Amino acid sequence: MSTPIDLHRPVQGDVIELILADHDLFEDLLRRMRNSHEERAALREAFATLHVAHARAEELHVLPAFRRRADSVGAHEVEHGEEEHAEGHEALLALMELKGTDTQAFDDALEELSAVVSHHLVEEELTLLNPARDELGERQRGDIGAAFAAERNARIDAGPVTLDQLREIVDEAREEGKLDDDEEE
Ligand SMILES: [Fe+2]
Ligand SMILES: [Fe+2]
């Protein structure tokens, strides 16, 4: 069964533009999910699939490449980015675990997910995309973009993310210490 919502399949482009296009998609899916007349279950599944694919593609191909090539992106920025992906997955899991989509619990979990994701998008655009604009050439951004897109698309094409897969991702992140609840910012 494929996701009925179009998540697009760009195959090339400047990595900054590709990432921003996904960020727009995240915001659009969240906004539509806030509408109680929308197909919330389908939107939730599409959001989850995109969130996992986008985060993994960044972790595998974007963060390491930015760290190697941009002086102002260091181990701290990379680690912090991964922690925020884990927090996004955790908030997403809370939403995915809910059976009903017309409940106060759904609204509450969606509010939390929206807050966690918007925080990450803002921070990533300020602390990773701006240094990449300043310090990476067009050719490098294109090469990283192609690797990002290939990874992202392959994961989306593998099918919608299931609840069990998401649980595993969150458990793994917790074991790796990326979800230490007492750590701020
Ligand atoms: Fe991103
Ligand atoms: Fe990210």
Side-chain angles (χ1 to χ4, degrees), residues 12-19 61-71 131-149:
Q12 59 183 15
D14 181 330
V15 66
I16 293 172
E17 300 309 322
L18 294 175
I19 286 177
H61 301 288
V62 179
L63 299 176
F66 283 10
R67 190 183 167 189
R68 271 197 306 273
R69 293 169 175 142
D71 288 341
R133 283 185 180 100
D134 292 338
E135 299 177 58
L136 266 60
E138 224 172 281
R139 169 98 184 265
Q140 288 178 323
R141 301 205 306 245
D143 289 347
I144 302 168
F148 167 81

Side-chain angles (χ1 to χ4, degrees), residues 19 23 26 51 54-55 58-59 63 81-82 84-85 120-121 124 128:
I19 286 177
H23 290 185
F26 284 134
H51 195 272
H54 177 95
E58 281 184 351
E59 288 169 8
L63 299 176
E82 290 177 355
E84 290 195 351
H85 290 166
H120 175 62
L121 301 186
E124 184 167 286
L128 288 171

